[in-house]
């Protein structure tokens, strides 16, 4: 019996020491932050849908760190100092990468790094107004990529929500125009009725989105508050 107690005590002590060793591992120390941009302009996307990967070379078993892009195009990742390879997975985002498919990131302390991309379209001059319980948006769809990779507009959408998170998942009202029904990409107008809001508030948030054919992720205008 004493032998069993000794063995149990030894196992507990071993577990405690191992736990202390785990707790003493260094934690990530540096922030990599920035914005996904086109000529310095943020690329607005839907929340939690677009990401890139950071790979750290030199490990026998290497797994990517997925970094999610926020709806305003910004990102932030807490990392260990070191050298990384930055890659956008195939099909990610309403854009294509510029230059090399892989970017080298050498992190030694906090670093701000904007990532330049080329969107298929940009939403220009988005204006919002409210009247008679409706929200109206007017904007232009500028085609950026015009070479062999060019894509047609599949649809444009107007989304309205109670909070600042506005997209196809988070909205209280939306409307859509198919790409084939857009008469003039330089003059698009959309309107949607705002439903009754409980509890009552006298404002909403809105933005428009554009989806290109063959690409899952949409590009958006910035979110704007509209007083009702």
């Amino acid at each position: 019996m004493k032998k069993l107690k000794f063995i149990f005590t030894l196992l507990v002590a071993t577990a405690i020491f191992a736990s202390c060793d785990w707790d003493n591992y260094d934690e990530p120390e540096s922030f990599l932050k920035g914005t996904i941009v086109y000529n310095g302009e943020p690329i607005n996307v839907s929340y939690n849908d677009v990401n890139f990967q950071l790979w750290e070379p030199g490990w026998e078993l290497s797994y990517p760190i997925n970094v999610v892009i926020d709806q305003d195009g910004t990102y932030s990742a807490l990392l260990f100092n070191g050298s990384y390879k930055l890659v956008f997975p195939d099909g990610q985002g309403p854009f294509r990468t510029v230059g090399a498919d892989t970017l080298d990131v050498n992190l030694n302390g906090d670093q701000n790094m904007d990532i330049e991309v080329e969107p298929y379209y940009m939403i220009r001059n988005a204006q919002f107004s409210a009247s008679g319980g409706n929200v109206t948006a007017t904007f232009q769809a500028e085609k950026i990529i015009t070479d062999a990779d060019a894509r047609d507009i599949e649809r444009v959408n107007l989304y309205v929500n109670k909070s600042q998170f506005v997209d196809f998942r988070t909205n209280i009202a939306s409307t859509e125009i198919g790409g084939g029904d857009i008469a003039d990409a330089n003059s698009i107008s959309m309107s949607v009725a705002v439903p009754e809001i409980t509890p009552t508030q006298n404002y909403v948030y809105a933005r428009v989105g554009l989806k290109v054919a063959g690409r899952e992720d949409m590009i958006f205008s910035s979110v704007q508050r509209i007083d009702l």
Side-chain angles (χ1 to χ4, degrees):
M1 186 69 178
K2 289 182 179 179
K3 185 176 181 181
L4 288 175
K5 288 183 178 179
F6 173 77
I7 293 173
F8 177 76
T9 302
L10 183 62
L11 289 173
V12 171
T14 301
I16 291 172
F17 283 122
S19 176
C20 290
D21 287 340
W22 293 333
D23 291 341
N24 289 331
Y25 282 141
D26 292 336
E27 295 182 354
E29 57 210 316
S30 298
F31 275 101
L32 178 66
K33 299 180 180 180
T35 306
I36 311 301
V37 298
Y38 170 65
N39 290 338
E41 296 182 64
I43 300 295
N44 295 279
V45 294
S46 50
Y47 177 74
N48 207 33
D49 280 330
V50 182
N51 68 83
F52 61 81
Q53 296 177 340
L54 291 170
W55 294 81
E56 191 170 12
W59 294 92
E60 182 177 351
L61 294 176
S62 186
Y63 299 95
I65 300 167
N66 287 312
V67 180
V68 176
I69 300 168
D70 209 341
Q71 66 175 8
D72 63 355
T74 59
Y75 71 89
S76 177
L78 181 60
L79 305 166
F80 291 105
N81 288 332
S83 298
Y84 297 87
K85 300 289 186 182
L86 189 156
V87 180
F88 280 96
D90 288 343
Q92 277 291 304
F95 49 74
R96 67 182 180 187
T97 55
V98 175
D101 292 335
T102 302
L103 298 177
D104 293 323
V105 179
N106 298 308
L107 191 64
N108 185 19
D110 293 348
Q111 180 176 337
N112 287 304
M113 186 180 76
D114 290 345
I115 303 172
E116 187 78 20
V117 297
E118 192 174 20
Y120 293 95
Y121 288 81
M122 286 291 283
I123 295 173
R124 302 295 192 190
N125 302 317
Q127 303 291 326
F128 299 87
S129 61
S131 178
N134 294 325
V135 169
T136 298
T138 60
F139 61 98
Q140 302 161 4
E142 180 187 1
K143 193 170 191 175
I144 303 298
I145 297 177
T146 58
D147 58 19
D149 290 336
R151 295 174 183 267
D152 293 330
I153 298 174
E154 182 176 308
R155 68 173 189 269
V156 291
N157 295 82
L158 167 60
Y159 298 107
V160 175
N161 200 26
K162 296 185 293 184
S163 74
Q164 297 181 55
F165 291 95
V166 190
D167 58 34
F168 51 89
R169 283 189 301 260
T170 54
N171 68 81
I172 57 172
S174 66
T175 188
E176 175 179 318
I177 299 176
D181 295 324
I182 298 174
D184 183 0
N186 291 315
S187 181
I188 302 173
S189 180
M190 311 178 72
S191 185
V192 66
V194 179
E196 183 178 347
I197 300 175
T198 305
T200 302
Q201 64 184 52
N202 61 355
Y203 62 90
V204 291
Y205 295 90
R207 64 175 178 165
V208 291
L210 183 153
K211 185 182 183 304
V212 298
R215 205 73 174 188
E216 182 177 354
D217 300 312
M218 301 175 71
I219 192 166
F220 289 83
S221 67
S222 60
V223 177
Q224 293 193 29
R225 171 175 162 157
I226 301 103
D227 293 327
L228 300 174

